Amino acid sequence: MTTNSQQAAVRPGKVYLIGAGPGDPTLITVKGMELLKRAQVVVYDYLATPKLLKFAPKDAQFVYVGKKGNVHHAHTQEEINQMLVDHARAGRTVVRLKGGDPFIFGRGGEEIEELCKYDIAFEVVPGVTSATAAATYAGVPITHREYTSSLAFITGHEDPTKDTSNVAWDKISTGIGTLVFYMGIKNLPSIAENLIKNGRDPKTPVVVVRWASTPIQRSVVGTIETIAQVVKDAGITPPALVVVGEVVKLRDKINWFEKRPLFNKRILVTRTREQASELVRLLEDQGADCVEGATIAMEPPESWEELDAALDQISDYQWLAFASINAIRYFFGRLHEKGMDSRDLKGPRVAAVGIATAEVLREYGIRADLIPEEYTGDGLAASMVAQGVKGAKILIPRAKKAREILPETLRENGAEVEVATVYQNVRPKDYEMVREELAAGDIHMVTFTSSSTVTNFLEMVGNDRDKLLAGVKFAAIGPITAKTAKKHGLNIDLQPLTYTIPAMVDAIVDHYKG
Ligand code: SAH
């Protein structure tokens, strides 16, 4: 039993200062992720990748306190400190998410000192700091027995005109093997000058890495005497790390991240929200930078009448045919809603258009009795006809607007076919986002995985084709999708031999290799 006084007191909250890692969201620690998942408030800055925010509870409060370069601070450090104190005192679980490691040039120490003042509970979760990430993702082992046995992290942010420096240039220039400068882009000329003046070999190799570990990573190499000019010519701006030392030579051998086949390729994946993940994951594995643009979204049909009527007499059917994964999901959604399950489908045999569709069926406990050799509606129709469909009662759950080839072919061959609308394609919300991405001219390729993605995409592009699609390449998953594209005047640049997502990704990789 709780006493009145216990009920009245607010249980104090706790602040977790968490390193978000260098940019790739999957580089956060497991502990950081677990804590993020139970945050009530998330306070994050510019360098803590926003891609992590989706892992926090939807109803959490998100506060951006970002600092971008040194131009504009959304909140002062004092305000941030106060915010952490206030939320914790109100009893909330606060995640303070910082780029890289919170205690490495992140002012994490100051925030924690403030919490100590008020006796607020806290924990600190280290993160992968951008220095090690930048070196690693630029193919540089930051230490190596043959090249260096010491390493320093240095801020390059110091005012170079300051007479007395906190950086002991005379000692670090020759006393340390590998030197990594954070925030050093603006002062790069004076950093180089200081190193040379204090005795470091001007020919020492240097790599500068911008947005390390992200799909937009860029790196350039030079020597201490050339790097400032190289960076200027390449137009490299913060955030970037400067890595100085003999270890940089190893990059020629080890540069793994930037050598992935789709590195620096920005690909617009036009799929429905629900489906995009596999394609995106496989493309990202190959180094691509994916923009997920839903050109279609799905909703249940206006009425379930057709399907309900068929389900009530399902044992009268000889075949149940599925030409898409969506049809299966919506079909079973409704079946379960009606208090039925897979055991009620005992009568008919089940046909699936391809292996992916058949795999989804298996999730519902059903093994497909028929999968055609060619994974298209036509292929499915042909295989079913080959089995003999004369007089057979066939149910096809499908989208509101769908190609008629399957039911027509079956009917022509004597089947009694019923189609039941189980979902409909609707216009998604993020049209504008996709248009802006295209207008910016950064997108190298657009992928199409069904005819409706083509038509929806073109509808979105509208009359601005010349402006939005100049130089963009197009990939289609199979012949039907490609044909639809051609019919609408889009030139398909590549198409896999088998009509699956992995095969499509292979074809895209081959395209860029070639
Ligand atoms: N606490 C952070 C560092 C914050 S200081 C950490 O541990 O990484 C900010 C500086 O970090 C930037 O100016 C830049 O030099 C560096 N930085 C952070 N993220 C980076 C990234 N993804 N790529 C390159 N440099 C990065």
Side-chain angles (χ1 to χ4, degrees):
M1 230 181 85
T2 50
T3 66
N4 280 344
S5 68
Q6 273 172 329
Q7 277 172 353
V10 177
R11 260 179 67 106
K14 189 165 173 180
V15 176
Y16 297 94
L17 177 60
I18 297 176
D24 175 346
T26 63
L27 287 175
I28 192 173
T29 60
V30 174
K31 179 160 188 185
M33 176 59 85
E34 310 248 287
L35 291 167
L36 180 60
K37 282 185 186 159
R38 36 189 188 89
Q40 288 172 302
V41 182
V42 182
V43 181
Y44 65 103
D45 15 358
Y46 174 57
L47 288 172
T49 173
K51 287 190 177 159
L52 279 170
L53 300 180
K54 65 170 186 247
F55 296 103
K58 280 202 177 56
D59 58 353
Q61 190 181 331
F62 297 93
V63 190
Y64 176 68
V65 293
K67 308 171 180 179
K68 191 171 177 177
N70 46 17
V71 201
H72 132 105
H73 288 205
H75 288 265
T76 64
Q77 190 63 51
E78 289 66 38
E79 285 169 347
I80 297 171
N81 294 350
Q82 192 58 46
M83 197 183 293
L84 298 179
V85 169
D86 291 346
H87 281 302
R89 283 186 150 177
R92 300 184 188 114
T93 300
V94 184
V95 162
R96 171 69 174 115
L97 204 56
K98 274 179 175 288
D101 182 281
F103 279 176
I104 297 182
F105 302 125
R107 303 189 72 171
E110 294 166 47
E111 292 177 15
I112 296 295
E113 281 179 306
E114 191 71 11
L115 299 177
C116 291
K117 257 195 232 163
Y118 296 92
D119 231 0
I120 286 165
F122 65 86
E123 283 187 38
V124 185
V125 182
V128 174
T129 189
S130 54
T132 56
T136 302
Y137 280 75
V140 175
I142 208 162
T143 72
H144 189 288
R145 276 203 306 177
E146 281 169 32
Y147 296 91
T148 173
S149 47
S150 59
L151 162 68
F153 293 167
I154 304 148
T155 169
H157 192 47
E158 267 204 345
D159 182 355
T161 58
K162 214 163 64 173
D163 291 341
T164 51
S165 171
N166 286 326
V167 178
W169 293 101
D170 54 332
K171 301 207 170 65
I172 61 154
S173 294
T174 51
I176 305 273
T178 308
L179 303 168
V180 185
F181 293 91
Y182 290 71
M183 301 169 277
I185 293 304
K186 203 171 122 225
N187 294 334
L188 196 51
S190 59
I191 290 171
E193 193 188 310
N194 274 330
L195 291 174
I196 294 172
K197 215 163 59 191
N198 285 281
R200 190 69 179 238
D201 180 356
K203 299 272 184 280
T204 308
V206 181
V207 63
V208 172
V209 193
R210 180 169 195 264
W211 280 125
S213 81
T214 72
I216 57 166
Q217 169 173 318
R218 260 193 86 194
S219 62
V220 291
V221 284
T223 60
I224 298 179
E225 60 185 353
T226 65
I227 195 68
Q229 193 60 44
V230 170
V231 162
K232 197 171 160 217
D233 293 345
I236 301 264
T237 53
L241 258 307
V242 182
V243 183
V244 180
E246 296 303 318
V247 284
V248 171
K249 286 182 184 155
L250 289 161
R251 170 180 160 90
D252 294 340
K253 262 190 240 166
I254 302 181
N255 192 6
W256 59 278
F257 182 71
E258 295 175 0
K259 282 196 180 144
R260 293 169 313 153
L262 299 181
F263 180 68
N264 269 336
K265 293 286 177 287
R266 200 161 165 77
I267 300 180
L268 172 63
V269 175
T270 64
R271 297 201 71 176
T272 57
R273 271 263 167 276
E274 295 78 5
Q275 295 174 322
S277 53
E278 190 198 5
L279 180 54
V280 168
R281 185 176 55 76
L282 292 176
L283 287 171
E284 283 178 349
D285 261 1
Q286 299 293 332
D289 179 12
C290 291
V291 188
E292 284 178 58
T295 57
I296 46 178
M298 285 172 301
E299 277 177 5
E302 277 125 37
S303 149
W304 286 108
E305 245 170 66
E306 288 166 356
L307 183 67
D308 285 356
L311 283 177
D312 289 343
Q313 293 163 24
I314 191 69
S315 53
D316 292 351
Y317 289 84
Q318 278 78 50
W319 279 105
L320 185 53
F322 290 104
S324 78
I325 290 172
N326 301 322
I328 298 176
R329 299 245 183 255
Y330 278 93
F331 175 87
F332 280 94
R334 182 61 184 169
L335 188 76
H336 294 163
E337 247 171 46
K338 282 171 69 74
M340 300 164 78
D341 64 27
S342 303
R343 291 169 301 179
D344 295 298
L345 303 178
K346 233 167 117 198
R349 285 190 285 166
V350 181
V353 71
I355 36 174
T357 325
E359 258 163 41
V360 174
L361 271 177
R362 215 170 308 153
E363 283 175 31
Y364 295 96
I366 305 251
R367 275 177 63 145
D369 299 290
L370 180 149
I371 306 169
E373 261 166 38
E374 195 193 303
Y375 306 155
T376 61
D378 312 41
L380 179 58
S383 316
M384 289 181 75
V385 167
Q387 301 253 325
V389 291
K390 199 167 168 49
K393 217 172 151 178
I394 302 175
L395 177 63
I396 307 176
R398 60 173 209 174
K400 187 172 173 186
K401 273 195 246 162
R403 297 174 62 240
E404 291 301 332
I405 188 83
L406 178 60
E408 270 171 13
T409 311
L410 295 173
R411 277 187 198 118
E412 276 161 19
N413 286 276
E416 188 190 326
V417 180
E418 278 188 36
V419 293
T421 302
V422 292
Y423 70 99
Q424 51 184 333
N425 290 323
V426 294
R427 175 187 277 231
K429 293 180 193 75
D430 48 1
Y431 256 44
E432 273 318 306
M433 187 275 284
V434 174
R435 283 180 59 95
E436 277 165 29
E437 292 281 353
L438 283 165
D442 297 339
I443 291 179
H444 298 98
M445 182 175 281
V446 178
T447 61
F448 296 121
T449 46
S450 69
S451 291
S452 56
T453 58
V454 176
T455 47
N456 283 295
F457 173 78
L458 286 175
E459 194 181 304
M460 175 197 67
V461 169
N463 293 329
D464 299 327
R465 268 204 201 196
D466 294 345
K467 204 171 89 199
L468 297 188
L469 304 186
V472 178
K473 304 230 161 150
F474 298 97
I477 194 163
I480 305 285
T481 309
K483 208 168 134 195
T484 307
K486 270 179 208 135
K487 202 175 84 193
H488 289 91
L490 264 196
N491 185 34
I492 292 296
D493 297 277
L494 63 99
Q495 188 185 310
L497 289 178
T498 51
Y499 320 143
T500 64
I501 298 287
M504 176 147 159
V505 173
D506 289 345
I508 294 173
V509 168
D510 286 345
H511 176 82
Y512 283 113
K513 258 193 211 146

